[in-house]
Amino acid sequence: MAYYFDDSSRTFNEFLLVPGYSSADCIPSNVDLSTPIVKYREGETPALRANVPMASAVMQAVSDDRMAVALAKEGGISFIFGSQSIESQAGMVRRVKDHKAGFVRSDSNVRPDQTLADVIELKEANGHSTVAVTEDGTPDGRIVGIVTSRDYRVSRTPEGMKVSEFMTPFADLIYGEDGISLSEANDILWDHKLNQLPIIDKQGRLTYFVFRKDYDSHKENPNELLDDQKRYIVGAGVNTRDYGERIPALVEAGADVICVDSSEGFTEWQARTLEYARAEYGDAVKIGAGNVVDKEGFEFLAKKGADFVKVGIGGGSICITREQKGIGRGQASAVMDVVAARNDYYKKTGIYVPICSDGGIVYDYHMTIALAMGADFMMLGRYFARFDESPSAKLNVSGNYVKEYWGEGSGRARNWQRYDLGEGEKLSFEEGVDSYVPYAGSLKDGVNSTLAKVRSTMCSCGVLSIRELQERAKLTLVSATSIVEGGAHDVILKDQAPGLVR
Protein backbone atom coordinates (compact mmCIF):
# COMPACT_ATOMS: atom_id res chain seq x y z
CA MET A 1 0.00 0.00 0.00
CA ALA A 2 1.02 3.63 -0.39
CA TYR A 3 3.23 5.27 2.23
CA TYR A 4 1.63 7.96 4.39
CA PHE A 5 3.64 10.59 6.21
CA ASP A 6 2.72 10.93 9.88
CA ASP A 7 2.38 14.71 10.05
CA SER A 8 0.52 17.27 7.98
CA SER A 9 2.29 19.13 5.18
CA ARG A 10 3.43 22.23 7.10
CA THR A 11 4.27 25.74 5.88
CA PHE A 12 6.53 28.38 7.43
CA ASN A 13 3.43 30.35 8.37
CA GLU A 14 2.50 27.63 10.87
CA PHE A 15 5.57 28.21 13.05
CA LEU A 16 6.91 30.87 15.37
CA LEU A 17 10.29 31.21 17.06
CA VAL A 18 10.34 31.29 20.85
CA PRO A 19 12.78 33.84 22.33
CA GLY A 20 15.96 32.66 24.02
CA TYR A 21 18.22 34.38 26.53
CA SER A 22 19.89 37.42 24.95
CA SER A 23 23.16 38.63 26.42
CA ALA A 24 24.40 42.22 26.12
CA ASP A 25 26.40 41.10 23.08
CA CYS A 26 23.23 40.18 21.19
CA ILE A 27 22.89 43.30 19.11
CA PRO A 28 22.13 43.27 15.36
CA SER A 29 25.52 44.70 14.36
CA ASN A 30 27.21 41.66 15.92
CA VAL A 31 25.19 39.12 13.93
CA ASP A 32 27.15 37.17 11.31
CA LEU A 33 24.94 36.09 8.38
CA SER A 34 27.67 34.38 6.35
CA THR A 35 26.79 30.86 5.27
CA PRO A 36 28.25 27.96 3.25
CA ILE A 37 27.02 27.55 -0.32
CA VAL A 38 28.88 24.37 -1.31
CA LYS A 39 29.73 21.14 0.50
CA TYR A 40 32.83 20.69 2.61
CA ARG A 41 34.42 18.08 4.83
CA GLU A 42 34.39 18.32 8.59
CA GLY A 43 37.21 20.55 9.76
CA GLU A 44 37.63 22.18 6.34
CA THR A 45 36.54 25.58 5.09
CA PRO A 46 33.89 25.62 2.32
CA ALA A 47 35.21 26.75 -1.05
CA LEU A 48 32.32 29.18 -1.43
CA ARG A 49 30.41 31.13 1.20
CA ALA A 50 27.87 33.92 0.87
CA ASN A 51 27.92 36.90 3.19
CA VAL A 52 24.13 36.85 3.46
CA PRO A 53 21.86 33.77 3.05
CA MET A 54 20.05 34.95 -0.07
CA ALA A 55 20.13 33.73 -3.68
CA SER A 56 18.00 34.97 -6.56
CA ALA A 57 16.04 32.35 -8.47
CA VAL A 58 16.94 30.82 -11.85
CA MET A 59 14.14 32.73 -13.62
CA GLN A 60 13.73 34.97 -16.65
CA ALA A 61 11.87 37.56 -14.58
CA VAL A 62 14.45 37.61 -11.78
CA SER A 63 18.11 36.85 -12.47
CA ASP A 64 20.13 38.53 -15.19
CA ASP A 65 23.53 40.22 -15.00
CA ARG A 66 22.14 43.44 -13.52
CA MET A 67 20.46 41.52 -10.69
CA ALA A 68 23.63 39.50 -10.13
CA VAL A 69 25.76 42.61 -9.66
CA ALA A 70 23.23 44.27 -7.34
CA LEU A 71 22.85 41.18 -5.14
CA ALA A 72 26.59 40.46 -5.02
CA LYS A 73 27.09 44.00 -3.72
CA GLU A 74 24.86 43.07 -0.78
CA GLY A 75 26.60 39.75 -0.17
CA GLY A 76 24.28 37.27 -1.92
CA ILE A 77 24.40 35.18 -5.10
CA SER A 78 22.32 35.29 -8.27
CA PHE A 79 21.82 32.25 -10.47
CA ILE A 80 21.43 33.62 -13.99
CA PHE A 81 18.51 32.03 -15.80
CA GLY A 82 19.23 29.22 -18.23
CA SER A 83 16.10 29.43 -20.41
CA GLN A 84 18.02 31.39 -23.04
CA SER A 85 20.72 30.56 -25.53
CA ILE A 86 24.03 29.32 -24.20
CA GLU A 87 25.82 32.30 -25.76
CA SER A 88 23.45 34.80 -24.15
CA GLN A 89 23.69 33.24 -20.70
CA ALA A 90 27.48 32.96 -20.87
CA GLY A 91 27.59 36.61 -21.95
CA MET A 92 25.63 37.62 -18.85
CA VAL A 93 28.03 35.68 -16.62
CA ARG A 94 30.98 37.30 -18.36
CA ARG A 95 29.53 40.78 -17.86
CA VAL A 96 29.15 40.16 -14.13
CA LYS A 97 32.72 38.93 -13.80
CA ASP A 98 34.03 41.89 -15.80
CA HIS A 99 31.76 44.46 -14.19
CA LYS A 100 33.95 45.34 -11.27
CA ALA A 101 37.26 44.26 -9.84
CA GLY A 102 40.12 45.61 -7.86
CA PHE A 103 42.33 45.03 -10.92
CA VAL A 104 40.33 45.26 -14.15
CA ARG A 105 41.49 44.10 -17.57
CA SER A 106 40.70 46.78 -20.11
CA ASP A 107 37.93 45.88 -22.55
CA SER A 108 37.90 49.30 -24.26
CA ASN A 109 41.06 49.69 -26.32
CA VAL A 110 42.12 51.55 -29.47
CA ARG A 111 45.24 52.13 -31.51
CA PRO A 112 46.71 55.66 -31.72
CA ASP A 113 45.88 55.83 -35.45
CA GLN A 114 42.16 55.29 -34.84
CA THR A 115 39.75 58.21 -34.50
CA LEU A 116 37.39 59.86 -32.04
CA ALA A 117 34.55 58.11 -33.86
CA ASP A 118 36.04 54.78 -32.80
CA VAL A 119 36.29 55.96 -29.19
CA ILE A 120 32.65 57.10 -29.17
CA GLU A 121 31.56 53.78 -30.67
CA LEU A 122 33.43 51.88 -27.95
CA LYS A 123 31.91 54.03 -25.23
CA GLU A 124 28.40 53.44 -26.56
CA ALA A 125 29.02 49.69 -26.79
CA ASN A 126 30.68 49.16 -23.40
CA GLY A 127 29.53 52.14 -21.35
CA HIS A 128 33.12 52.89 -20.27
CA SER A 129 34.53 56.41 -20.40
CA THR A 130 38.15 55.26 -20.00
CA VAL A 131 39.76 53.89 -23.17
CA ALA A 132 43.30 52.49 -23.23
CA VAL A 133 45.48 53.43 -26.19
CA THR A 134 47.91 50.62 -26.99
CA GLU A 135 50.22 50.14 -29.96
CA ASP A 136 48.16 47.23 -31.32
CA GLY A 137 44.77 48.08 -29.80
CA THR A 138 44.76 44.98 -27.57
CA PRO A 139 44.07 45.01 -23.80
CA ASP A 140 47.65 43.93 -22.99
CA GLY A 141 49.54 45.78 -25.69
CA ARG A 142 52.29 48.35 -25.10
CA ILE A 143 50.51 51.41 -23.72
CA VAL A 144 50.99 54.78 -25.40
CA GLY A 145 48.26 56.75 -23.64
CA ILE A 146 44.67 56.80 -22.41
CA VAL A 147 41.53 58.64 -23.40
CA THR A 148 38.92 59.82 -20.91
CA SER A 149 35.94 62.13 -21.30
CA ARG A 150 38.22 65.01 -20.25
CA ASP A 151 40.31 64.63 -23.40
CA TYR A 152 37.66 65.61 -25.93
CA ARG A 153 34.33 67.36 -26.41
CA VAL A 154 31.98 65.77 -28.88
CA SER A 155 30.61 69.17 -29.88
CA ARG A 156 34.06 70.59 -30.68
CA THR A 157 36.40 67.71 -31.50
CA PRO A 158 36.09 66.39 -35.07
CA GLU A 159 35.13 62.73 -35.15
CA GLY A 160 37.86 62.09 -37.69
CA MET A 161 40.65 63.37 -35.42
CA LYS A 162 43.33 60.76 -34.68
CA VAL A 163 43.42 59.41 -31.13
CA SER A 164 47.12 60.31 -30.93
CA GLU A 165 46.20 64.00 -31.30
CA PHE A 166 43.90 64.29 -28.25
CA MET A 167 44.82 61.41 -25.91
CA THR A 168 46.76 61.87 -22.67
CA PRO A 169 50.19 60.52 -23.71
CA PHE A 170 52.05 57.92 -21.67
CA ALA A 171 54.69 60.47 -20.66
CA ASP A 172 52.01 62.43 -18.77
CA LEU A 173 50.43 59.39 -17.08
CA ILE A 174 50.73 58.42 -13.44
CA TYR A 175 50.74 54.63 -13.28
CA GLY A 176 51.45 51.70 -11.00
CA GLU A 177 53.90 48.89 -11.66
CA ASP A 178 52.71 45.33 -12.09
CA GLY A 179 52.72 43.57 -8.71
CA ILE A 180 51.47 46.58 -6.76
CA SER A 181 48.90 45.76 -4.05
CA LEU A 182 45.34 47.03 -4.26
CA SER A 183 45.89 49.10 -1.14
CA GLU A 184 48.97 50.75 -2.67
CA ALA A 185 47.09 51.41 -5.91
CA ASN A 186 44.24 53.06 -4.04
CA ASP A 187 46.74 55.24 -2.15
CA ILE A 188 48.12 56.51 -5.48
CA LEU A 189 44.59 57.22 -6.73
CA TRP A 190 43.81 59.31 -3.68
CA ASP A 191 47.18 61.03 -3.39
CA HIS A 192 47.03 62.22 -7.02
CA LYS A 193 43.24 62.74 -7.18
CA LEU A 194 42.90 60.30 -10.07
CA ASN A 195 39.82 58.45 -11.31
CA GLN A 196 41.81 55.57 -12.80
CA LEU A 197 45.29 54.14 -12.48
CA PRO A 198 46.85 52.05 -15.29
CA ILE A 199 49.02 49.15 -14.12
CA ILE A 200 52.05 48.58 -16.38
CA ASP A 201 54.51 45.67 -16.52
CA LYS A 202 58.28 45.98 -17.08
CA GLN A 203 57.84 45.80 -20.86
CA GLY A 204 55.49 48.80 -20.79
CA ARG A 205 52.41 46.68 -21.49
CA LEU A 206 49.07 47.46 -19.91
CA THR A 207 48.00 44.72 -17.51
CA TYR A 208 45.11 46.27 -15.53
CA PHE A 209 43.27 49.40 -14.50
CA VAL A 210 42.35 50.24 -10.91
CA PHE A 211 39.37 52.59 -10.65
CA ARG A 212 38.55 55.02 -7.88
CA LYS A 213 34.82 54.29 -8.24
CA ASP A 214 35.48 50.66 -7.29
CA TYR A 215 37.09 51.79 -4.03
CA ASP A 216 34.08 53.99 -3.28
CA SER A 217 31.71 51.15 -4.17
CA HIS A 218 33.44 48.75 -1.79
CA LYS A 219 33.27 51.24 1.08
CA GLU A 220 29.53 51.66 0.46
CA ASN A 221 29.00 47.89 0.26
CA PRO A 222 31.02 46.20 3.02
CA ASN A 223 29.28 42.84 2.42
CA GLU A 224 30.31 42.62 -1.25
CA LEU A 225 30.76 39.02 -2.33
CA LEU A 226 34.00 38.84 -4.32
CA ASP A 227 36.28 36.11 -5.62
CA ASP A 228 40.05 36.03 -5.09
CA GLN A 229 40.49 38.41 -8.02
CA LYS A 230 38.07 40.95 -6.50
CA ARG A 231 35.36 40.11 -9.05
CA TYR A 232 31.72 39.58 -8.16
CA ILE A 233 30.61 36.02 -7.41
CA VAL A 234 27.88 34.78 -9.76
CA GLY A 235 25.99 31.53 -10.33
CA ALA A 236 24.10 30.15 -13.32
CA GLY A 237 21.37 27.60 -13.98
CA VAL A 238 21.61 24.64 -16.35
CA ASN A 239 19.04 22.11 -17.54
CA THR A 240 19.26 18.34 -17.94
CA ARG A 241 19.26 18.40 -21.76
CA ASP A 242 22.10 20.57 -23.11
CA TYR A 243 24.38 20.48 -20.05
CA GLY A 244 27.21 19.03 -22.14
CA GLU A 245 27.44 22.29 -24.11
CA ARG A 246 26.13 24.75 -21.51
CA ILE A 247 28.34 23.86 -18.55
CA PRO A 248 31.65 24.27 -20.44
CA ALA A 249 30.51 27.65 -21.77
CA LEU A 250 29.52 28.85 -18.29
CA VAL A 251 32.77 27.61 -16.77
CA GLU A 252 34.77 29.40 -19.49
CA ALA A 253 32.76 32.58 -18.83
CA GLY A 254 33.73 32.44 -15.16
CA ALA A 255 30.62 31.15 -13.34
CA ASP A 256 31.53 30.43 -9.70
CA VAL A 257 28.73 27.96 -9.04
CA ILE A 258 26.13 26.15 -11.15
CA CYS A 259 22.67 24.93 -10.25
CA VAL A 260 20.76 22.19 -12.06
CA ASP A 261 17.43 23.92 -12.52
CA SER A 262 14.66 21.33 -12.55
CA SER A 263 11.17 21.06 -11.10
CA GLU A 264 12.14 17.69 -9.63
CA GLY A 265 15.63 16.50 -8.73
CA PHE A 266 14.99 12.85 -7.86
CA THR A 267 15.54 11.67 -11.45
CA GLU A 268 18.02 9.87 -13.65
CA TRP A 269 18.27 13.03 -15.78
CA GLN A 270 19.60 14.96 -12.81
CA ALA A 271 22.03 12.15 -11.99
CA ARG A 272 23.39 12.19 -15.54
CA THR A 273 24.00 15.93 -15.31
CA LEU A 274 25.90 15.62 -12.02
CA GLU A 275 27.89 12.64 -13.30
CA TYR A 276 28.91 14.61 -16.39
CA ALA A 277 30.13 17.55 -14.28
CA ARG A 278 32.16 15.30 -11.98
CA ALA A 279 33.63 13.27 -14.85
CA GLU A 280 34.70 16.38 -16.78
CA TYR A 281 35.75 18.69 -13.96
CA GLY A 282 36.06 16.68 -10.74
CA ASP A 283 35.43 18.94 -7.76
CA ALA A 284 36.72 22.04 -9.57
CA VAL A 285 33.20 22.93 -10.74
CA LYS A 286 30.71 23.60 -7.97
CA ILE A 287 27.24 22.35 -8.90
CA GLY A 288 24.07 22.17 -6.82
CA ALA A 289 21.00 20.13 -7.65
CA GLY A 290 17.30 19.77 -6.86
CA ASN A 291 14.51 20.16 -6.18
CA VAL A 292 13.60 17.50 -3.60
CA VAL A 293 11.24 17.35 -0.62
CA ASP A 294 12.26 14.30 1.42
CA LYS A 295 15.10 12.17 2.75
CA GLU A 296 15.29 9.85 -0.25
CA GLY A 297 15.62 12.73 -2.69
CA PHE A 298 18.39 14.34 -0.64
CA GLU A 299 20.41 11.16 -0.26
CA PHE A 300 20.13 10.46 -3.98
CA LEU A 301 21.58 13.85 -4.96
CA ALA A 302 24.19 13.91 -2.19
CA LYS A 303 25.56 10.53 -3.27
CA LYS A 304 25.66 11.73 -6.89
CA GLY A 305 27.96 14.56 -5.81
CA ALA A 306 25.71 17.62 -5.48
CA ASP A 307 27.49 20.57 -3.84
CA PHE A 308 24.21 21.80 -2.37
CA VAL A 309 20.66 20.49 -2.49
CA LYS A 310 17.68 22.66 -3.32
CA VAL A 311 14.43 21.92 -1.43
CA GLY A 312 10.89 22.73 -2.48
CA ILE A 313 8.23 21.68 -4.97
CA GLY A 314 5.13 23.76 -5.57
CA GLY A 315 5.71 26.41 -2.89
CA GLY A 316 6.59 29.34 -5.15
CA SER A 317 4.07 32.15 -5.49
CA ILE A 318 3.78 31.63 -9.26
CA CYS A 319 4.04 27.84 -9.16
CA ILE A 320 0.91 25.76 -9.76
CA THR A 321 2.55 22.33 -9.84
CA ARG A 322 0.55 21.18 -6.81
CA GLU A 323 -2.81 22.05 -8.28
CA GLN A 324 -1.87 20.77 -11.74
CA LYS A 325 -0.20 17.50 -10.72
CA GLY A 326 -0.91 16.96 -7.02
CA ILE A 327 2.84 16.79 -6.43
CA GLY A 328 4.75 18.61 -3.71
CA ARG A 329 4.99 19.18 0.01
CA GLY A 330 4.58 22.06 2.44
CA GLN A 331 7.88 23.93 2.50
CA ALA A 332 8.47 23.71 6.25
CA SER A 333 7.90 19.94 6.29
CA ALA A 334 10.18 19.50 3.28
CA VAL A 335 12.99 21.56 4.83
CA MET A 336 12.78 19.78 8.19
CA ASP A 337 12.84 16.33 6.60
CA VAL A 338 15.72 17.10 4.25
CA VAL A 339 17.74 18.84 6.98
CA ALA A 340 17.38 15.78 9.20
CA ALA A 341 18.67 13.64 6.32
CA ARG A 342 21.54 16.09 5.72
CA ASN A 343 22.55 15.95 9.38
CA ASP A 344 22.54 12.14 9.36
CA TYR A 345 24.61 12.17 6.15
CA TYR A 346 27.10 14.53 7.80
CA LYS A 347 27.47 12.24 10.82
CA LYS A 348 28.05 9.19 8.60
CA THR A 349 30.36 10.73 6.00
CA GLY A 350 31.83 13.88 7.53
CA ILE A 351 30.60 15.79 4.48
CA TYR A 352 28.31 18.78 5.09
CA VAL A 353 25.96 19.48 2.17
CA PRO A 354 24.28 22.92 2.41
CA ILE A 355 20.52 23.10 2.01
CA CYS A 356 18.88 25.80 -0.14
CA SER A 357 15.22 26.42 0.71
CA ASP A 358 13.45 27.33 -2.53
CA GLY A 359 9.91 28.71 -2.24
CA GLY A 360 7.33 29.26 0.47
CA ILE A 361 8.65 32.64 1.65
CA VAL A 362 5.69 35.02 2.07
CA TYR A 363 6.88 37.29 4.88
CA ASP A 364 10.41 38.35 5.77
CA TYR A 365 10.33 36.41 9.04
CA HIS A 366 9.80 33.18 7.08
CA MET A 367 13.47 33.48 6.08
CA THR A 368 14.52 33.28 9.73
CA ILE A 369 12.18 30.32 10.25
CA ALA A 370 13.78 28.53 7.28
CA LEU A 371 17.29 29.17 8.64
CA ALA A 372 16.27 28.02 12.13
CA MET A 373 14.93 24.79 10.64
CA GLY A 374 18.36 24.12 9.17
CA ALA A 375 18.43 25.70 5.71
CA ASP A 376 21.75 27.38 4.93
CA PHE A 377 20.37 29.85 2.41
CA MET A 378 17.16 30.69 0.54
CA MET A 379 16.44 30.97 -3.16
CA LEU A 380 13.92 33.75 -3.79
CA GLY A 381 11.92 34.65 -6.88
CA ARG A 382 8.95 36.89 -6.06
CA TYR A 383 11.02 38.71 -3.45
CA PHE A 384 13.66 39.86 -5.97
CA ALA A 385 11.26 40.31 -8.90
CA ARG A 386 9.81 43.39 -7.12
CA PHE A 387 12.98 45.46 -7.29
CA ASP A 388 14.34 47.93 -9.85
CA GLU A 389 17.18 45.56 -10.69
CA SER A 390 15.01 42.68 -11.90
CA PRO A 391 14.81 42.36 -15.71
CA SER A 392 11.01 42.63 -15.95
CA ALA A 393 9.01 45.72 -16.90
CA LYS A 394 7.70 48.23 -14.36
CA LEU A 395 4.08 49.15 -15.06
CA ASN A 396 1.32 51.30 -13.63
CA VAL A 397 -1.79 49.20 -13.09
CA SER A 398 -4.90 50.92 -11.66
CA GLY A 399 -2.73 53.64 -10.12
CA ASN A 400 -0.25 51.26 -8.51
CA TYR A 401 3.27 50.50 -9.69
CA VAL A 402 3.98 46.81 -10.26
CA LYS A 403 6.63 44.62 -11.84
CA GLU A 404 5.87 41.75 -14.19
CA TYR A 405 6.63 38.30 -12.78
CA TRP A 406 6.14 34.98 -14.52
CA GLY A 407 7.04 31.40 -13.76
CA GLU A 408 9.44 29.28 -15.78
CA GLY A 409 6.57 26.83 -16.27
CA SER A 410 4.24 29.50 -17.64
CA GLY A 411 3.20 29.85 -21.26
CA ARG A 412 5.27 33.02 -21.42
CA ALA A 413 8.58 31.42 -20.39
CA ARG A 414 7.88 28.02 -21.96
CA ASN A 415 10.95 26.60 -20.22
CA TRP A 416 10.09 22.99 -21.10
CA GLN A 417 13.59 21.82 -20.20
CA ARG A 418 12.94 22.57 -16.52
CA TYR A 419 9.97 20.17 -16.53
CA ASP A 420 11.49 17.62 -18.91
CA LEU A 421 10.53 13.97 -18.33
CA GLY A 422 12.41 12.61 -21.31
CA GLU A 423 9.79 13.03 -24.02
CA GLY A 424 8.94 15.71 -26.61
CA GLU A 425 10.59 19.14 -26.63
CA LYS A 426 7.53 21.08 -25.52
CA LEU A 427 5.66 22.25 -22.43
CA SER A 428 2.66 19.88 -22.31
CA PHE A 429 0.79 22.00 -19.77
CA GLU A 430 1.56 25.04 -17.65
CA GLU A 431 3.01 24.71 -14.15
CA GLY A 432 3.43 28.45 -13.61
CA VAL A 433 1.46 31.66 -14.04
CA ASP A 434 2.05 35.12 -15.52
CA SER A 435 1.46 37.81 -12.90
CA TYR A 436 2.36 41.14 -11.31
CA VAL A 437 4.07 41.84 -7.99
CA PRO A 438 3.99 45.17 -6.10
CA TYR A 439 6.96 47.34 -7.05
CA ALA A 440 9.36 47.67 -4.09
CA GLY A 441 12.06 50.15 -5.17
CA SER A 442 15.79 49.42 -4.98
CA LEU A 443 17.23 46.05 -4.07
CA LYS A 444 19.69 47.59 -1.62
CA ASP A 445 16.96 49.21 0.45
CA GLY A 446 14.75 46.13 0.38
CA VAL A 447 17.47 43.65 1.28
CA ASN A 448 18.85 45.84 4.07
CA SER A 449 15.36 46.15 5.58
CA THR A 450 14.76 42.40 5.40
CA LEU A 451 18.14 41.49 6.87
CA ALA A 452 17.63 44.00 9.69
CA LYS A 453 14.57 41.96 10.69
CA VAL A 454 16.50 38.69 10.43
CA ARG A 455 19.33 40.01 12.61
CA SER A 456 16.88 41.41 15.17
CA THR A 457 15.01 38.11 15.39
CA MET A 458 18.25 36.20 15.84
CA CYS A 459 19.18 38.51 18.70
CA SER A 460 15.81 37.80 20.30
CA CYS A 461 16.71 34.10 20.05
CA GLY A 462 20.05 34.81 21.74
CA VAL A 463 22.23 33.82 18.78
CA LEU A 464 24.81 35.63 16.66
CA SER A 465 25.29 33.28 13.71
CA ILE A 466 23.22 31.05 11.45
CA ARG A 467 24.92 27.95 12.86
CA GLU A 468 23.97 28.99 16.41
CA LEU A 469 20.41 29.61 15.26
CA GLN A 470 20.21 26.13 13.74
CA GLU A 471 21.53 24.55 16.93
CA ARG A 472 19.64 26.56 19.54
CA ALA A 473 16.39 27.79 17.97
CA LYS A 474 13.10 26.86 19.63
CA LEU A 475 10.09 26.63 17.32
CA THR A 476 6.41 26.25 18.13
CA LEU A 477 3.44 25.35 15.97
CA VAL A 478 0.71 27.99 15.85
CA SER A 479 -3.04 27.68 15.55
CA ALA A 480 -5.21 29.56 13.08
CA THR A 481 -6.43 31.73 15.96
CA SER A 482 -2.90 32.63 17.07
CA ILE A 483 -2.04 33.68 13.50
CA VAL A 484 -4.89 36.22 13.70
CA GLU A 485 -3.70 37.28 17.14
CA GLY A 486 -0.20 37.89 15.77
CA GLY A 487 -1.30 40.75 13.51
CA ALA A 488 -3.06 44.02 14.22
CA HIS A 489 -6.57 43.18 15.48
CA ASP A 490 -9.54 44.72 17.26
CA VAL A 491 -8.46 48.24 16.27
CA ILE A 492 -9.24 50.63 13.44
CA LEU A 493 -6.05 51.33 11.51
CA LYS A 494 -5.60 55.03 10.80
CA ASP A 495 -4.90 54.59 7.10
CA GLN A 496 -8.12 52.59 6.78
CA ALA A 497 -10.36 54.77 8.93
CA PRO A 498 -13.22 56.85 7.48
CA GLY A 499 -12.94 60.66 7.53
CA LEU A 500 -12.09 61.77 11.05
CA VAL A 501 -13.75 64.89 12.52
CA ARG A 502 -11.91 66.33 15.48
Side-chain angles (χ1 to χ4, degrees):
M1 62 179 290
Y3 176 82
Y4 293 87
F5 287 87
D6 293 333
D7 197 10
S8 300
S9 190
R10 304 286 186 180
T11 68
F12 293 138
N13 213 41
E14 296 176 79
F15 290 88
L16 286 175
L17 284 155
V18 175
Y21 170 72
S22 299
S23 70
D25 291 329
C26 282
I27 57 176
S29 60
N30 286 341
V31 172
D32 177 10
L33 290 179
S34 64
T35 190
I37 298 298
V38 298
K39 68 183 179 185
Y40 60 94
R41 290 191 174 275
E42 186 176 8
E44 295 181 350
T45 300
L48 179 59
R49 295 180 67 90
N51 292 329
V52 300
M54 303 174 85
S56 67
V58 190
M59 300 177 69
Q60 294 174 9
V62 180
S63 297
D64 65 354
D65 49 313
R66 186 179 178 213
M67 172 62 68
V69 168
L71 184 51
K73 285 182 178 180
E74 303 308 317
I77 297 179
S78 284
F79 287 85
I80 291 177
F81 72 95
S83 51
Q84 58 180 315
S85 72
I86 294 173
E87 294 75 16
S88 177
Q89 186 186 24
M92 287 187 180
V93 170
R94 198 170 286 110
R95 286 196 291 276
V96 176
K97 300 306 290 187
D98 291 344
H99 180 85
K100 182 262 179 197
F103 294 93
V104 184
R105 277 181 60 83
S106 177
D107 62 357
S108 294
N109 312 282
V110 294
R111 300 185 309 276
D113 61 344
Q114 290 183 263
T115 65
L116 176 60
D118 296 313
V119 171
I120 294 172
E121 183 179 351
L122 266 179
K123 183 176 180 181
E124 290 175 348
N126 298 332
H128 300 154
S129 59
T130 298
V131 177
V133 186
T134 59
E135 286 183 342
D136 58 3
T138 63
D140 52 3
R142 186 177 179 84
I143 189 167
V144 295
I146 64 170
V147 173
T148 72
S149 55
R150 295 180 180 180
D151 293 313
Y152 63 89
R153 293 183 67 178
V154 175
S155 60
R156 294 188 178 184
T157 310
E159 287 195 359
M161 181 179 285
K162 300 286 188 185
V163 169
S164 58
E165 297 180 47
F166 61 87
M167 69 181 186
T168 301
F170 179 73
D172 295 339
L173 291 180
I174 295 171
Y175 60 89
E177 295 182 353
D178 199 26
I180 191 175
S181 71
L182 184 60
S183 177
E184 292 169 332
N186 282 322
D187 286 343
I188 296 173
L189 284 171
W190 283 93
D191 290 345
H192 295 275
K193 299 180 180 179
L194 303 172
N195 289 323
Q196 65 284 313
L197 181 73
I199 307 299
I200 312 299
D201 69 12
K202 292 180 179 179
Q203 287 73 45
R205 294 176 303 193
L206 176 67
T207 56
Y208 299 103
F209 275 111
V210 175
F211 292 98
R212 179 172 180 159
K213 64 181 177 62
D214 291 345
Y215 175 89
D216 295 337
S217 174
H218 180 66
K219 292 301 179 183
E220 293 171 4
N221 301 288
N223 280 330
E224 277 186 321
L225 192 59
L226 306 173
D227 65 17
D228 56 6
Q229 297 180 54
K230 305 297 183 183
R231 302 176 302 176
Y232 288 129
I233 297 288
V234 61
V238 299
N239 61 64
T240 58
R241 279 291 185 105
D242 65 7
Y243 56 84
E245 296 78 41
R246 193 173 292 269
I247 290 177
L250 295 173
V251 171
E252 191 277 330
D256 298 280
V257 59
I258 290 168
C259 177
V260 185
D261 181 39
S262 176
S263 63
E264 186 186 347
F266 197 4
T267 70
E268 182 178 344
W269 312 109
Q270 195 116 160
R272 290 181 183 180
T273 309
L274 291 171
E275 288 165 355
Y276 165 83
R278 292 293 170 245
E280 292 294 318
Y281 299 99
D283 288 330
V285 166
K286 305 305 178 185
I287 180 168
N291 287 18
V292 298
V293 293
D294 65 1
K295 175 182 178 179
E296 287 181 289
F298 169 81
E299 290 181 342
F300 175 78
L301 293 178
K303 290 174 182 177
K304 291 298 180 181
D307 279 296
F308 64 86
V309 172
K310 201 144 62 83
V311 178
I313 294 177
S317 61
I318 41 70
C319 184
I320 55 174
T321 294
R322 294 181 193 174
E323 70 178 58
Q324 290 283 61
K325 296 174 60 176
I327 291 286
R329 196 175 187 191
Q331 190 67 9
S333 294
V335 168
M336 289 188 289
D337 198 357
V338 172
V339 165
R342 187 272 309 281
N343 293 345
D344 286 343
Y345 187 81
Y346 181 48
K347 290 177 183 177
K348 292 175 183 176
T349 66
I351 299 173
Y352 186 90
V353 181
I355 298 301
C356 171
S357 177
D358 178 18
I361 301 294
V362 180
Y363 304 108
D364 286 350
Y365 82 87
H366 288 170
M367 298 186 199
T368 321
I369 297 286
L371 295 171
M373 288 179 171
D376 297 281
F377 62 105
M378 288 79 60
M379 183 167 280
L380 306 159
R382 179 195 61 85
Y383 178 87
F384 287 115
R386 305 171 302 148
F387 297 130
D388 285 319
E389 293 81 0
S390 75
S392 65
K394 176 184 171 184
L395 307 172
N396 189 312
V397 177
S398 302
N400 297 307
Y401 282 108
V402 297
K403 293 273 282 185
E404 292 183 302
Y405 180 45
W406 60 94
E408 290 296 292
S410 67
R412 181 171 181 173
R414 302 209 67 80
N415 181 7
W416 64 269
Q417 293 96 331
R418 189 177 195 276
Y419 303 88
D420 181 32
L421 293 175
E423 293 186 337
E425 299 183 2
K426 64 177 182 177
L427 194 67
S428 300
F429 55 88
E430 294 186 27
E431 294 188 47
V433 299
D434 199 342
S435 65
Y436 300 124
V437 288
Y439 169 65
S442 76
L443 179 144
K444 184 178 184 67
D445 291 342
V447 167
N448 285 342
S449 175
T450 294
L451 294 181
K453 297 175 190 177
V454 173
R455 291 187 177 97
S456 179
T457 303
M458 289 173 63
C459 287
S460 295
C461 294
V463 300
L464 293 174
S465 70
I466 292 173
R467 178 53 60 88
E468 286 183 0
L469 180 67
Q470 293 169 341
E471 293 173 346
R472 295 166 50 186
K474 296 181 290 184
L475 291 132
T476 181
L477 275 168
V478 297
S479 67
T481 304
S482 66
I483 292 175
V484 174
E485 180 185 65
H489 60 91
D490 301 317
V491 295
I492 300 172
L493 298 178
K494 286 186 176 181
D495 61 358
Q496 297 175 8
L500 178 65
V501 179
R502 294 186 181 277

